[in-house]
Amino acid sequence: MNAPELWKRYQASLCRVPALDVSLDVSRMGFDDDAIARMRPAFDRAFAAMDELEKGAVANPDENRMVGHYWLRSPELSPTPEIAAEIAETLDAVAAFAAKVHSGEVKPQRKPRFTRVLSIGIGGSALGPMFVADALGSPKADRLHAHFIDNTDPDGIARELERIGPALDETLVVVMSKSGGTPETRNGMLVVAEAYRKAGLDFAKHATAVTGEGSKLDQTVAKEGWLARFPMWDWVGGRTSETSAVGLVPGLLQGLDMKGLLDGAAAMDRATRVHDVAKNPAALLALSWYLATDGRGAKDMVVLPYKDRLLLFSRYLQQLVMESLGKRLDLEGNRVDQGISVYGNKGSTDQHAYVQQLRDGVDNFFVTFLRVLEDGGDGREVEPGVTPGDYLHGFLLGTREALFANDRRSVTITVDRVDAQTVGALIALFERAVGLYATLVNVNAYHQPGVEAGKKAAASVLEIQDKARAALTAQPRTADQVAEAVGAADSAETVYLVLEHLAANGRARMSRGANPGLTTFQAV
């Protein structure tokens, strides 16, 4: 295709959302002219399913739940007045609490004001807030400096506490867990609470929670008298929770424009309800994914934002896309092994990383470019008439062209700037695209059986660890012998691995043999 033909195709295929200054270019995805017409019956079903979801239908049949993240930014669309009232009341309550924190009316035990906020969560309770904090935050403008603990890695927790340092006594902690029993979040909370105790501080006087009503965490909040508690509803999944209290609490405490984010999401929701694929950017994205991957995840999605503020967007999208679409079974119980793998970093860093393979290596991907028109910074020229932003934009267009010249497909999303409204719009755009694509491939986008299976497997490992550690004596034993002693003969490998870990942390003794089968373990 020559340049004039490409220009015509670009103009014909560009989908714009004027209210948001957002556009989607699919001209380089290799659509044939009748692709949209051919897929129209499938999209009619997807649009209908989405309409029913927004009206309150049970869209997550495995858990018999409604799926209501779209109501969070448009409460008037909620299926009941009670839900609409809860959403509005929660937003007001979070905003009022943040205002009291900023004014010093709600203050820490010893200091006149909170200056930092530490969010403890995992998965959707961390990736969304972290992305938004980084995208919209400013060291000079933030009301509270943001910190995050998003794992059960003790070294990672210790490092974040070191970053906080002596400011622990002016740090407000937000613990986020729907059930209150999520191990990673619980462990982070316990370690942080102990740090407060060691500093002579009452953790409850520095803590808030976002959790389900009646959860273990909710009970702890009530018993210990924490500063506040905000709801996490069962009709909002973790990976679609950024416009709920999960995102609102840390965002408003940081001082971010979360109302603008909600407004941007609501505006994109309106634009993506249109039952016309060519005029609906989420539908065009879903169509792009379907055609690029043959509707079965045959290619990976590479996310390349050419803006440092959007660095964490690819991590956010990894969970949103992969946890939603990565399913072994379809809605009828047939094995389909669906999913789309997502990875990415940022431009132009990737000019010096994996773009070489993207252009010249295995053709197992399609790219999603994120193009931001406004440079930011001070506009300084590094050459006559050329700014660093010009270079960045040039690298984006050059990479897009180089990939296309080698028959590599790409989508380009263009926004004017990275602000709260834009970030909300991007979140809503991909949420809707995931939902539509899931209907096209007939999977449940709103459950996560693989994640639950991993949690159960981890629990069984810890049970074996407890038994193996209790079985250690002064007499050296191999992993096979310990496994036999605890009735886990079929799990000798797991026994070896957990004992090796215990030994590395001073909780067992190990004498390495010529191979793992000859290595012995003893009690400390």
Side-chain angles (χ1 to χ4, degrees):
M1 190 178 296
N2 59 37
E5 290 172 331
L6 274 176
W7 171 231
K8 288 181 180 179
R9 181 169 287 273
Y10 174 82
Q11 294 178 76
S13 63
L14 189 68
C15 180
R16 293 196 68 246
V17 182
L20 289 165
D21 294 321
V22 174
S23 65
L24 173 68
D25 164 30
V26 296
S27 63
R28 306 207 172 197
M29 284 300 291
F31 288 6
D32 55 54
D33 292 336
D34 66 346
I36 292 178
R38 190 171 64 251
M39 292 292 293
R40 184 168 292 118
F43 271 99
D44 286 342
R45 293 191 294 273
F47 288 140
M50 186 63 72
D51 289 347
E52 291 303 306
L53 178 152
E54 287 201 296
K55 291 175 183 176
V58 173
N60 181 359
D62 290 32
E63 300 174 3
N64 194 34
R65 289 178 178 174
M66 300 184 295
V67 174
H69 49 276
Y70 298 110
W71 312 329
L72 296 169
R73 46 265 194 170
S74 298
E76 69 278 5
L77 299 179
S78 303
T80 69
E82 292 76 17
I83 290 177
E86 281 188 281
I87 294 170
E89 288 165 5
T90 297
L91 176 57
D92 289 344
V94 176
F97 177 74
K100 289 178 180 178
V101 170
H102 296 156
S103 69
E105 182 178 345
V106 172
K107 59 185 179 181
Q109 187 175 353
R110 294 176 182 166
K111 295 294 183 68
R113 292 179 187 274
F114 285 107
T115 63
R116 297 168 186 254
V117 55
L118 169 62
S119 295
I120 304 175
I122 190 74
S125 295
L127 291 168
M130 291 173 73
F131 161 53
V132 171
D134 190 51
L136 302 180
S138 167
K140 290 184 178 180
D142 289 351
R143 301 297 298 269
L144 302 184
H145 184 69
H147 296 266
F148 294 91
I149 290 175
D150 66 338
N151 203 355
T152 187
D153 177 5
D155 183 53
I157 297 171
R159 290 178 69 195
E160 200 59 39
L161 288 172
E162 286 176 8
R163 292 186 184 101
I164 295 171
L168 188 68
D169 60 358
E170 51 194 56
T171 299
L172 177 59
V173 179
V174 182
V175 182
M176 295 189 275
S177 173
K178 183 178 290 185
S179 68
T182 306
E184 297 93 335
T185 304
R186 180 204 62 201
N187 295 350
M189 178 187 74
L190 293 174
V191 173
V192 170
E194 177 64 12
Y196 275 85
R197 189 193 67 77
K198 288 182 177 178
L201 297 165
D202 183 350
F203 178 64
K205 288 183 169 59
H206 303 79
T208 62
V210 181
T211 189
E213 184 176 357
S215 72
K216 294 178 182 177
L217 180 56
D218 195 27
Q219 294 170 34
T220 299
V221 170
K223 180 181 177 181
E224 298 180 359
W226 289 21
L227 294 174
R229 175 262 182 198
F230 302 99
M232 192 182 290
W233 300 293
D234 63 4
W235 41 265
V236 178
R239 55 191 175 276
T240 55
S241 65
E242 177 54 29
T243 52
S244 75
V246 166
L248 296 175
V249 173
L252 286 171
L253 287 170
Q254 188 179 345
L256 307 181
D257 178 15
M258 299 305 289
K259 184 182 184 303
L261 186 144
L262 291 173
D263 290 344
M268 182 58 76
D269 288 340
R270 290 191 290 272
T272 54
R273 289 190 185 104
V274 177
H275 286 208
D276 184 337
V277 175
K279 297 178 180 178
N280 182 328
L284 277 176
L285 266 187
L287 176 64
S288 299
W289 301 350
Y290 189 88
L291 297 178
T293 71
D294 297 327
R296 55 184 178 84
K299 292 192 176 184
D300 301 339
M301 183 192 307
V302 181
V303 181
L304 290 180
Y306 277 69
K307 199 67 172 176
D308 286 5
R309 286 185 179 273
L310 297 178
L311 168 64
L312 297 182
F313 195 43
S314 59
R315 287 186 63 196
Y316 172 79
L317 290 180
Q318 276 183 333
Q319 183 188 20
L320 177 63
V321 175
M322 297 177 72
E323 192 169 276
S324 298
L325 303 179
K327 303 296 161 64
R328 185 178 191 183
L329 305 177
D330 67 11
L331 289 170
E332 277 73 52
N334 303 306
R335 182 165 180 175
V336 291
D337 297 322
Q338 273 288 354
I340 299 176
S341 296
V342 179
Y343 65 93
N345 190 14
K346 67 177 181 182
S348 65
T349 298
D350 290 299
Q351 311 298 128
H352 307 278
Y354 48 73
V355 164
Q356 168 62 36
Q357 177 168 313
L358 296 186
R359 186 185 186 281
D360 294 341
V362 58
D363 185 10
N364 64 346
F365 68 93
F366 63 97
V367 173
T368 300
F369 288 107
L370 283 158
R371 176 173 170 249
V372 181
L373 297 181
E374 289 188 6
D375 291 341
D378 62 8
R380 185 183 305 274
E381 294 184 357
V382 292
E383 296 173 12
V386 180
T387 69
D390 295 336
Y391 266 103
L392 186 65
H393 188 242
F395 284 137
L396 186 159
L397 296 183
T399 301
R400 174 174 172 268
E401 185 61 38
L403 293 178
F404 186 74
N406 219 23
D407 297 321
R408 309 303 165 94
R409 297 180 181 184
S410 68
V411 168
T412 301
I413 299 170
T414 299
V415 301
D416 274 12
R417 64 194 68 82
V418 177
D419 60 12
Q421 190 177 53
T422 296
V423 169
L426 289 174
I427 288 171
L429 172 63
F430 279 86
E431 285 178 348
R432 183 85 60 167
V434 163
L436 293 171
Y437 182 90
T439 302
L440 295 181
V441 298
N442 196 38
V443 298
N444 180 355
Y446 307 108
H447 70 158
Q448 48 282 331
V451 175
E452 300 306 320
K455 291 179 180 178
K456 291 177 181 177
S460 72
V461 168
L462 291 175
E463 183 179 352
I464 289 174
Q465 175 178 299
D466 288 342
K467 292 178 179 179
R469 186 184 182 192
L472 293 179
T473 66
Q475 180 68 30
R477 283 178 166 182
T478 66
D480 287 296
Q481 291 169 332
V482 174
E484 184 72 32
V486 300
D490 293 338
S491 302
E493 179 187 15
T494 299
V495 169
Y496 172 80
L497 294 173
V498 298
L499 290 177
E500 185 182 42
H501 171 254
L502 290 173
N505 289 279
R507 296 154 70 194
R509 291 180 183 172
M510 179 177 68
S511 296
R512 289 197 182 275
N515 61 60
L518 297 176
T519 296
T520 60
F521 300 90
Q522 299 167 260
V524 175

